[in-house]
Amino acid sequence: QSALEKELCDLIVDVLQKMFGSVQSRIDHTCKSVGNLWLHLVFFSTCQVLAISTSAVMHASGAIKADYKWWWAFQDFFHLGGGLVLLAACMGVFCIVTSFMQRLTLRISEVIGTTGCPFTMQATILGLVSARPLGMHVLWGSTYIDASKALIFFGVILLTVVHSMMYVVNYVDLSI
């Protein structure tokens, strides 16, 4: 490897470190600023969705002795829909940024491979880029919100809502 190649690879490493460092530091600042709000919105919206699902089951089963008024359905649908929209927005924004940052490291790997950069320098560059998790995080940087976490979370929430609604429909069908 010539001195010019070494100098070029060192320059590439420095540029990538500065680029990823500056972008991730802005993301870290944003996460520090809105992390507690994000946790509050996710917790609040989850409780809202679960409360509506549970109250529908309780009313349908007769556990609550008050008669269900038809106009309460507007309120329930509003809160159920609002909770799901808030959850989608909260999880979606964090998930999109994290997924983009993770795909960026793969793209850098592809580009560096096509330039003819020696394998030792490719390994050095990729090691530096992937040395730290990238993306949006909560709980003081300990939990990164990515697609797998968001999909599992939504799967559980939607499964709970669908189960509750099936119970309500089944009970209403039996009582008719």
Side-chain angles (χ1 to χ4, degrees):
Q1 181 176 0
S2 70
L4 186 59
E5 287 177 336
K6 173 95 171 97
E7 192 174 318
L8 181 61
C9 287
D10 288 343
L11 179 65
I12 291 171
V13 169
D14 287 342
V15 167
L16 287 175
Q17 276 185 316
K18 288 178 183 173
M19 181 181 71
F20 275 91
S22 66
V23 170
Q24 187 60 45
S25 68
R26 287 194 308 256
I27 291 172
D28 292 341
H29 177 71
T30 301
C31 291
K32 186 176 182 180
S33 299
V34 299
N36 289 336
L37 174 64
W38 186 89
L39 286 171
H40 171 77
L41 285 174
V42 169
F43 182 73
F44 173 79
S45 300
T46 303
C47 289
Q48 185 174 344
V49 168
L50 295 177
I52 296 300
S53 297
T54 304
S55 71
V57 169
M58 300 281 285
H59 276 287
S61 68
I64 297 176
K65 299 300 179 202
D67 290 336
Y68 190 83
K69 307 295 183 201
W70 66 269
W71 59 85
W72 290 356
F74 295 123
Q75 183 178 355
D76 289 345
F77 284 123
F78 172 80
H79 285 98
L80 183 65
L84 291 173
V85 167
L86 274 175
L87 285 172
C90 286
M91 290 291 199
V93 169
F94 274 41
C95 179
I96 288 169
V97 172
T98 302
S99 297
F100 177 78
M101 292 296 285
Q102 290 171 350
R103 280 194 318 263
L104 198 56
T105 57
L106 295 174
R107 179 73 178 127
I108 287 174
S109 170
E110 293 170 0
V111 169
I112 290 175
T114 61
T115 61
C117 186
F119 290 118
T120 56
M121 288 310 275
Q122 288 182 32
T124 301
I125 291 169
L126 292 177
L128 290 171
V129 169
S130 60
R132 174 177 186 234
L134 301 170
M136 303 293 276
H137 52 82
V138 293
L139 299 174
W140 307 279
S142 64
T143 306
Y144 284 77
I145 307 303
D146 58 359
S148 62
K149 289 182 186 86
L151 288 175
I152 290 170
F153 181 80
F154 270 114
V156 170
I157 290 292
L158 289 177
L159 185 65
T160 302
V161 170
V162 168
H163 177 266
S164 298
M165 294 308 126
M166 287 175 63
Y167 181 86
V168 168
V169 169
N170 189 33
Y171 184 80
V172 169
D173 190 37
L174 290 175
S175 64
I176 293 180

